[in-house]
Amino acid sequence: MQREEKDLTPVQRRWKTFWHYARPFVVWGASLAIVLVVVSLTVNYIVSHYVSAVDPEDPTPYEITIPQNSSASTIARILYTACGEDRDGLIVSTASFKIYVDFVGKANSLKAGTYILSKNMTIKEIVNILSKGVPARTAKRLTIPEGYTVNTIATLLVREGILSEPSTFKTLCKTADAFSKYPFLSELTGASDRMYALEGYLFPDTYEFYVDSTAEEVIDRMLTRYYDIYAGEYVDRAKELGYTRDQVMILASIIEREARDPEDFAKVSAVFYNRLRAGMKLESCATLSYATGTNRLSFTKDEMAIVSPYNTYLNAGLPIGPICNPGEAAIRAALYPNEEYIEQTYLYFCNANPNETASLLFSKTYEEHQANVEKYSKYW
């Protein structure tokens, strides 16, 4: 060993001495770097799989209610099942939520209340919202009837004290700009030429609205409800028929306004299918009522010639947009017309005596239709 040491040059001896003292630090530094890499990878994995948003691209709002005295475990279950069965929830797992709130010391800071959350929120964002809580607000139960238009819904909301004035609601409904998070609204054709871009998509139902709600909050609730209803089977059926969602909603809105008896919905749908396939105009009084802002069962020839993209006496095919906000029964009828009436090629219908019955009279030929019109038009 001494001979080997003597054979080293002065520079080599200095490097050997340096390495003798430096080696423990190099080994320690390398070990630390490996540990940091492992920790970083582990943290990134945990964040990306358990703490981050379920779907950063999905802003769909979901309303959840946290009852009084709910534990962190109960809240975790509510969040995990908030979007329904067989769907991803608002959090990846209940365990990740409980671990996080315990780690940040907020397990006992989560407050009861009703919240609007979405899948593009991280656990941190959700916990911050639940920790702040929501101020007590007075809610009112209100039913929006099937077939109401944007105008009549606005009037109802003001009359019931949900909104203080109707203009903001109507302005927001004029375009779909403020609600771009709903992907189906981007599919609308000719939206800028419609009376209201959101007409047809404000789903009629019974809601619990806060009496100090904003117009945007009310519209959000109704669009979300529509998004829940028109899904799955209905989306598949529209594709099967070769119809867009918008075409289905336009047809459903006309069915809703033409038939007072739900038993007639699928029959009216069949008549419209037959007329469209035959290249005939729909000639719907309901569309002309919407165009003129009236609510009548018959019109003069001059009125039938009014220039409007909603006038189906003047224009072929479907009108430019829905003429009301249809319920689920009308939507279903638009997707499933009466097969018997299609096969037998019914092309006409009209009202009987509205004071005696809500049912419609259906005809296969123009002559049969005219006979019904002559008999009952005096009651319209």
Side-chain angles (χ1 to χ4, degrees), residues 202-276:
L202 305 178
F203 193 77
D205 205 347
T206 298
Y207 297 91
E208 288 277 351
F209 289 124
Y210 291 117
V211 294
D212 59 346
S213 295
T214 66
E216 188 167 0
E217 288 173 336
V218 171
I219 294 171
D220 229 357
R221 288 282 306 283
M222 300 181 78
L223 290 176
T224 299
R225 184 66 179 132
Y226 166 79
Y227 188 71
D228 290 339
I229 293 296
Y230 193 106
E233 175 194 351
Y234 293 162
V235 173
D236 294 340
R237 175 60 174 171
K239 290 179 180 177
E240 180 185 331
L241 294 171
Y243 270 40
T244 67
R245 177 195 296 264
D246 200 35
Q247 288 172 325
V248 171
M249 296 310 299
I250 293 171
L251 182 57
S253 72
I254 303 174
I255 294 169
E256 185 74 70
R257 295 294 294 175
E258 283 285 6
R260 291 191 298 159
D261 185 350
E263 292 294 323
D264 285 338
F265 281 3
K267 298 175 184 176
V268 170
S269 180
V271 168
F272 287 144
Y273 269 85
N274 288 337
R275 293 181 74 89
L276 289 169

Side-chain angles (χ1 to χ4, degrees), residues 41-247:
L41 292 174
T42 302
V43 170
N44 287 336
Y45 179 85
I46 292 173
V47 169
S48 62
H49 287 76
Y50 298 105
V51 181
S52 61
V54 173
D55 186 353
E57 304 301 321
D58 186 358
T60 305
Y62 291 91
E63 182 182 283
I64 65 151
T65 298
I66 306 297
Q68 292 287 346
N69 302 316
S70 294
S71 65
S73 296
T74 299
I75 295 172
R77 285 195 298 272
I78 292 172
L79 294 171
Y80 187 70
T81 59
C83 306
E85 294 183 7
D86 301 324
R87 292 188 183 183
D88 291 334
L90 297 172
I91 56 175
V92 175
S93 72
T94 56
S96 61
F97 181 85
K98 288 186 287 185
I99 291 172
Y100 179 84
V101 293
D102 284 336
F103 180 76
V104 298
K106 291 189 175 181
N108 297 318
S109 301
L110 307 178
K111 296 179 172 59
T114 298
Y115 300 86
I116 302 296
L117 305 173
S118 57
K119 293 181 182 180
N120 65 352
M121 292 180 175
T122 64
I123 283 185
K124 179 181 178 180
E125 291 172 324
I126 291 174
V127 169
N128 286 341
I129 290 172
L130 299 185
S131 297
K132 292 178 182 177
V134 290
R137 302 169 72 184
T138 303
K140 185 170 186 177
R141 192 175 181 84
L142 178 65
T143 297
I144 308 294
E146 293 88 348
Y148 265 35
T149 64
V150 166
N151 287 332
T152 50
I153 291 174
T155 300
L156 177 63
L157 290 168
V158 173
R159 186 174 71 236
E160 295 298 321
I162 306 300
L163 299 179
S164 59
E165 49 82 25
S167 61
T168 302
F169 182 88
K170 293 180 182 181
T171 299
L172 286 170
C173 290
K174 197 73 178 174
T175 71
D177 296 346
F179 304 95
S180 58
K181 63 185 177 184
Y182 295 96
F184 58 85
L185 293 178
S186 65
E187 303 169 9
L188 304 183
T189 56
S192 60
D193 295 322
R194 299 184 183 192
M195 200 171 298
Y196 292 104
L198 297 186
E199 191 82 88
Y201 297 91
L202 305 178
F203 193 77
D205 205 347
T206 298
Y207 297 91
E208 288 277 351
F209 289 124
Y210 291 117
V211 294
D212 59 346
S213 295
T214 66
E216 188 167 0
E217 288 173 336
V218 171
I219 294 171
D220 229 357
R221 288 282 306 283
M222 300 181 78
L223 290 176
T224 299
R225 184 66 179 132
Y226 166 79
Y227 188 71
D228 290 339
I229 293 296
Y230 193 106
E233 175 194 351
Y234 293 162
V235 173
D236 294 340
R237 175 60 174 171
K239 290 179 180 177
E240 180 185 331
L241 294 171
Y243 270 40
T244 67
R245 177 195 296 264
D246 200 35
Q247 288 172 325

Side-chain angles (χ1 to χ4, degrees), residues 264 348-353 359-363 369 372 376:
D264 285 338
Y348 305 91
F349 63 83
C350 70
N351 287 281
N353 183 344
S359 298
L360 297 171
L361 299 170
F362 294 85
S363 309
H369 175 64
N372 287 331
Y376 292 102

Side-chain angles (χ1 to χ4, degrees), residues 334-372:
L335 291 166
Y336 296 94
N338 185 294
E339 293 294 339
E340 180 183 349
Y341 274 53
I342 284 182
E343 291 174 4
Q344 296 186 23
T345 322
Y346 278 87
L347 294 171
Y348 305 91
F349 63 83
C350 70
N351 287 281
N353 183 344
N355 298 317
E356 294 180 350
T357 180
S359 298
L360 297 171
L361 299 170
F362 294 85
S363 309
K364 299 176 186 177
T365 68
Y366 182 70
E367 289 72 24
E368 292 172 340
H369 175 64
Q370 278 300 101
N372 287 331

